[in-house]
């Protein structure tokens, strides 16, 4: 694309407020063309920071779902289901992908686990007949256990519930 045509595009910060998608496309074109002086630096910085926060939030959300199901698994063993099992497996797999694609998140895991545990309690209390006070105040599982595809807290699986455990 012609550098001059890109540089003459509408005011970028106004476009950021009125049509975010168009703004992203314009910024991409400016970057590709090397038209640095026309970039909307303030909003680009904000958006790049936001992308990093979204990845951290996804990790916390997935850990929250995983922890909620681990709590349900441990504290309501008589209600265990294939659905719970497969939710545990799916969340562990997706967290593994997320950490492989974003290895710099690994040092954040202890903090993420602590924050996600509160969401896990909320999920477990909402989906069981148990009050949130029934669950430990602090996460009872180490991060290694939480991410381990073979870890299932509480009583062992009953016979006839031998679902395959895979990564």
């Amino acid at each position: 694309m012609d550098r001059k045509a890109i540089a003459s595009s509408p005011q970028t910060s106004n476009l950021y407020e009125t049509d975010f998608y168009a703004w992203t496309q314009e910024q991409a074109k400016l970057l590709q063309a090397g038209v640095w002086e026309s970039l909307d630096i303030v909003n680009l910085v904000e958006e790049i920071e936001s992308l990093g926060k979204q990845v951290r939030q996804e990790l916390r959300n997935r850990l929250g779902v995983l922890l909620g199901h681990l709590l349900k698994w441990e504290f309501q063993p008589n209600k265990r289901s294939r659905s719970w099992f497969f939710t545990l497996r799916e969340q562990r797999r997706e967290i593994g992908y997320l950490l492989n694609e974003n290895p710099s998140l690994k040092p954040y895991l202890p903090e993420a686990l602590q924050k996600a545990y509160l969401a896990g309690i909320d999920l477990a209390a909402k989906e069981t007949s148990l009050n949130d006070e029934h669950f430990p105040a602090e996460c009872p599982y180490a991060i290694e256990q939480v991410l381990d595809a073979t870890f299932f807290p509480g009583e062992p699986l009953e016979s006839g519930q031998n679902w395959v455990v895979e990564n």
Side-chain angles (χ1 to χ4, degrees):
M1 182 167 216
D2 180 15
R3 285 176 61 107
K4 205 173 199 179
I6 294 173
S8 64
S9 63
Q11 179 66 22
T12 57
S13 60
N14 185 42
L15 193 56
Y16 178 80
E17 299 296 330
T18 59
D19 188 344
F20 180 75
Y21 178 75
W23 175 85
T24 64
Q25 300 310 295
E26 180 178 270
Q27 294 304 298
K29 289 175 185 174
L30 291 168
L31 285 165
Q32 289 171 343
V35 186
W36 315 120
E37 65 278 1
S38 296
L39 288 170
D40 183 0
I41 301 296
V42 171
N43 288 318
L44 276 171
V45 168
E46 182 180 322
E47 291 305 319
I48 290 170
E49 288 174 343
S50 177
L51 288 172
K53 290 176 185 175
Q54 288 175 15
V55 174
R56 287 168 56 116
Q57 179 64 42
E58 180 181 355
L59 177 62
R60 285 192 308 271
N61 287 345
R62 290 193 176 281
L63 281 171
V65 171
L66 177 56
L67 289 165
H69 279 76
L70 287 171
L71 290 169
K72 290 178 4 176
W73 190 272
E74 180 173 3
F75 289 92
Q76 284 202 320
N78 58 329
K79 295 195 177 186
R80 290 178 184 162
S81 68
R82 288 179 55 85
S83 173
W84 290 5
F85 173 83
F86 285 105
T87 296
L88 289 167
R89 189 167 83 172
E90 175 189 16
Q91 293 306 316
R92 285 173 167 153
R93 183 181 298 133
E94 292 299 323
I95 290 168
Y97 294 154
L98 189 61
L99 293 172
N100 285 336
E101 293 169 3
N102 303 280
S104 64
L105 282 175
K106 289 178 183 174
Y108 176 63
L109 276 171
E111 181 182 342
L113 182 72
Q114 181 181 6
K115 290 178 177 180
Y117 183 64
L118 298 175
I121 290 174
D122 289 345
L123 184 145
K126 179 177 75 174
E127 295 185 3
T128 67
S129 59
L130 305 172
N131 294 326
D132 56 350
E133 296 86 21
H134 188 85
F135 304 107
E138 299 290 323
C139 184
Y141 319 118
I143 191 65
E144 296 79 16
Q145 292 174 310
V146 170
L147 300 178
D148 180 354
T150 63
F151 174 72
F152 294 89
E155 302 168 15
L157 288 172
E158 295 178 17
S159 63
Q161 292 182 330
N162 296 327
W163 302 306
V164 177
V165 177
E166 300 173 4
N167 277 330

